[in-house]
């Protein structure tokens, strides 16, 4: 979760100073403490609406999408490599084509892989990475959302295709843009979970690989039903929302760490029985302490909506969250330094060090996800090389992975 870039940069000096080892480490090394649980309420998209759209347009598989790639991933430049973690060292990395790498209208946030979706690590015959991006104020559609679907079957020839995220109307005669900041993603079975936006009652939006539509109008700068068919701002594919979760407590607050939480990131934990989704919240205010929640899976790859665990972390600026075998991992970000990656339980909180500092994680890091099949934790960095250069920093956008065993 990021507040608008202009505000973030204005806070750079303050945030960076507060993240300095010494000040931050003393608090960040505090273990998790239990806190009040928060529950969710499910709202399903009408089945008839989904059926109507499926009948109006070709319904394609995610495998079709990732085998219809339009942009190649690339090797990382020296600036992009500088954004990678110092410790633990990334064992995998790839970077975006020049348009995605330098985009000012879209920025990367959440991430998930086919290692979430299926325990063999594949979706059908394909190895897939899904990167979630949200629109910026420069796009003119802030928090519109899209997914970069990366075919990672051959890492040396990885390529991607973009899909828009959309919400059907009540009858399925049209659809609109899904409003989601995309701070976190989880993929389980056919369901893809994404964080919504802050200061609303909507917590998590849920999409399905069973409802990916090939659009008939790829020239209109519009979304939904058009005179030429159905469009999503010239994109070829759009994935439909099958429902959403709202906060049982009502509207969330991004300025309070005692009221209803605004989920900033999420990920899947396959180590629990049943599997579960874990969430966190982000505060730029260092006096606020974000909370972590666990929601078990129920039927049809959907959540029960009843939190089974709730903790408070002393790590500030939490951008990503992961849980596995009883340990929680949270990614901290700084506006001026490398981030930090903390391993937390109710008895300990530890981080890798590089030299005398714990500021060893990626530069401007975002969400976390664990690939059950390979043992790798994937993440990505947000700022473009131009963003970094404007703040006298050397960094860029990269997708990378480290072994879970290296996190402690």
């Amino acid at each position: 979760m990021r507040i608008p870039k202009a505000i973030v940069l204005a806070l750079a000096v303050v945030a960076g100073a507060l993240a300095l080892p010494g000040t931050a480490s003393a608090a960040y090394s505090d273990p998790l403490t239990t806190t009040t649980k928060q529950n969710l309420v499910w709202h399903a998209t009408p089945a008839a609406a989904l059926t109507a759209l499926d009948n109006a347009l070709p319904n394609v598989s995610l495998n079709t999408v990732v085998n219809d790639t339009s942009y190649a991933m690339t090797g990382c430049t020296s600036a992009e490599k500088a954004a990678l973690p110092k410790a633990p060292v990334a064992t995998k990395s790839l970077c975006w084509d020049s348009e995605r790498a330098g985009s000012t209208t879209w920025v990367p946030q959440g991430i998930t892989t086919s290692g979430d979706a299926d325990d063999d690590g594949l979706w059908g015959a394909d190895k897939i990475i899904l990167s979630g991006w949200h629109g910026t104020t420069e796009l003119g559609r802030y928090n519109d959302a899209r997914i970069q679907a990366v075919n990672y079957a051959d890492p040396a020839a990885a390529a991607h295709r973009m899909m828009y995220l959309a919400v059907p109307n009540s009858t399925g005669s049209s659809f609109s843009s899904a409003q989601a900041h995309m701070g976190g993603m989880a993929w389980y079975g056919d369901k893809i979970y994404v964080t919504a936006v802050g200061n609303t009652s909507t917590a998590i939006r849920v999409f399905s690989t069973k409802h990916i539509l090939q659009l008939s109008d790829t020239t209109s700068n519009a979304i939904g039903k058009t005179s030429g068919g159905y469009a999503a701002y010239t994109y070829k594919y759009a994935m439909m929302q099958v429902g959403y979760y709202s906060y049982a407590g009502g509207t969330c607050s991004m300025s309070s760490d005692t009221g209803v939480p605004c989920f900033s990131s999420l990920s899947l934990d396959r180590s629990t029985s049943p599997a579960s989704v874990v969430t966190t919240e982000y505060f730029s205010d260092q006096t606020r302490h974000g909370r972590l929640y666990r929601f078990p899976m129920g039927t049809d790859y959907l959540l029960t909506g009843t939190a089974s665990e709730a903790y408070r972390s002393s790590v500030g600026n939490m951008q990503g969250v992961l849980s596995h075998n009883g340990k929680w991992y949270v990614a901290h970000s700084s506006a001026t330094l490398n981030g930090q990656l903390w391993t937390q339980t109710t008895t300990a909180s530890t981080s890798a060090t590089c030299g005398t500092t714990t500021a060893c994680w990626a530069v401007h890091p975002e969400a976390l996800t664990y690939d059950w099949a390979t043992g790798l934790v994937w993440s990505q960095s947000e700022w473009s090389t131009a963003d970094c250069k404007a703040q006298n920093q050397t960094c860029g956008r990269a997708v990378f992975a480290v072994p879970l065993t290296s996190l402690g």
Side-chain angles (χ1 to χ4, degrees):
M1 171 67 70
R2 285 293 178 103
I3 52 180
K5 186 66 65 68
I7 299 175
V8 170
L9 297 181
L11 293 172
V13 174
V14 175
L18 288 169
L20 283 170
T23 301
S25 297
Y28 292 10
S29 59
D30 292 341
L32 299 175
T33 57
T34 57
T35 190
T36 305
K37 296 174 183 176
Q38 304 280 346
N39 294 330
L40 301 171
V41 179
W42 172 244
H43 308 265
T45 300
L50 293 167
T51 299
L53 286 168
D54 287 344
N55 290 337
L57 290 163
N59 185 320
V60 303
S61 70
L62 185 54
N63 303 93
T64 296
V65 174
V66 298
N67 285 286
D68 182 24
T69 54
S70 50
Y71 302 99
M73 303 298 288
T74 69
C76 299
T77 66
S78 58
E80 290 164 341
K81 289 178 181 177
L84 298 175
K86 296 179 180 179
V89 175
T91 57
K92 305 285 184 183
S93 63
L94 60 160
C95 287
W96 303 102
D97 61 282
S98 59
E99 186 175 346
R100 256 50 52 187
S103 176
T104 58
T105 54
W106 292 91
V107 294
Q109 299 283 298
I111 189 168
T112 185
T113 75
S114 50
D116 267 354
D118 200 335
D119 56 11
D120 69 357
L122 301 175
W123 189 246
D126 296 311
K127 186 69 175 177
I128 300 172
I129 298 172
L130 300 181
S131 173
W133 295 50
H134 78 82
T136 70
T137 52
E138 290 190 34
L139 178 69
R141 304 191 300 271
Y142 190 72
N143 280 337
D144 268 22
R146 74 184 187 194
I147 288 176
Q148 322 276 114
V150 180
N151 189 327
Y152 196 63
D154 179 1
H160 70 94
R161 164 71 74 167
M162 299 185 293
M163 295 186 295
Y164 227 79
L165 298 187
V167 179
N169 65 10
S170 61
T171 62
S173 61
S174 189
F175 49 84
S176 58
S177 302
Q179 294 296 287
H181 197 73
M182 303 298 285
M185 299 176 67
W187 178 10
Y188 192 52
D190 69 292
K191 302 301 191 298
I192 295 175
Y193 293 76
V194 307
T195 50
V197 297
N199 295 324
T200 66
S201 60
T202 302
I204 300 170
R205 296 189 182 276
V206 184
F207 300 83
S208 174
T209 58
K210 293 180 179 179
H211 299 284
I212 300 174
L213 304 180
Q214 184 173 328
L215 303 170
S216 52
D217 179 354
T218 57
T219 60
S220 295
N221 190 33
I223 190 162
K225 189 73 172 72
T226 68
S227 59
Y230 291 85
Y233 299 112
T234 73
Y235 287 57
K236 185 174 182 179
Y237 301 106
M239 184 159 56
M240 297 295 117
Q241 178 177 285
V242 295
Y244 70 94
Y245 292 93
S246 64
Y247 300 106
T251 301
C252 72
S253 172
M254 293 182 67
S255 60
S256 169
D257 60 2
T258 58
V260 177
C262 294
F263 296 160
S264 62
S265 194
L266 59 81
S267 66
L268 181 73
D269 185 353
R270 279 181 159 272
S271 70
T272 58
S273 183
S276 55
V277 163
V278 294
T279 70
T280 190
E281 58 182 334
Y282 170 90
F283 292 106
S284 57
D285 180 350
Q286 296 288 301
T287 67
R288 308 292 182 189
H289 300 290
R291 291 159 290 177
L292 313 172
Y293 299 93
R294 183 186 302 281
F295 297 94
M297 286 288 176
T299 58
D300 196 26
Y301 306 110
L302 293 172
L303 304 176
T304 63
T306 302
S308 60
E309 293 181 73
Y311 300 104
R312 187 179 299 280
S313 173
S314 292
V315 175
N317 294 47
M318 288 191 291
Q319 293 282 11
V321 60
L322 188 69
S323 178
H324 185 77
N325 284 343
K327 292 182 178 180
W328 293 74
Y329 305 89
V330 292
H332 150 281
S333 69
S334 164
T336 58
L337 303 172
N338 280 70
Q340 302 174 42
L341 197 289
W342 288 82
T343 302
Q344 300 196 293
T345 66
T346 55
T347 59
S349 179
T350 60
S351 175
T353 58
C354 44
T356 59
T357 180
T358 54
C360 307
W361 192 234
V363 182
H364 308 302
E366 286 297 329
L368 304 168
T369 189
Y370 178 59
D371 185 335
W372 180 273
T374 64
L376 293 175
V377 173
W378 286 88
S379 185
Q380 58 185 347
S381 52
E382 176 189 8
W383 285 20
S384 70
T385 301
D387 289 332
C388 296
K389 187 175 181 180
Q391 297 302 308
N392 296 317
Q393 299 172 26
T394 302
C395 52
R397 291 175 180 154
V399 179
F400 60 89
V402 302
L404 179 67
T405 54
S406 67
L407 301 184

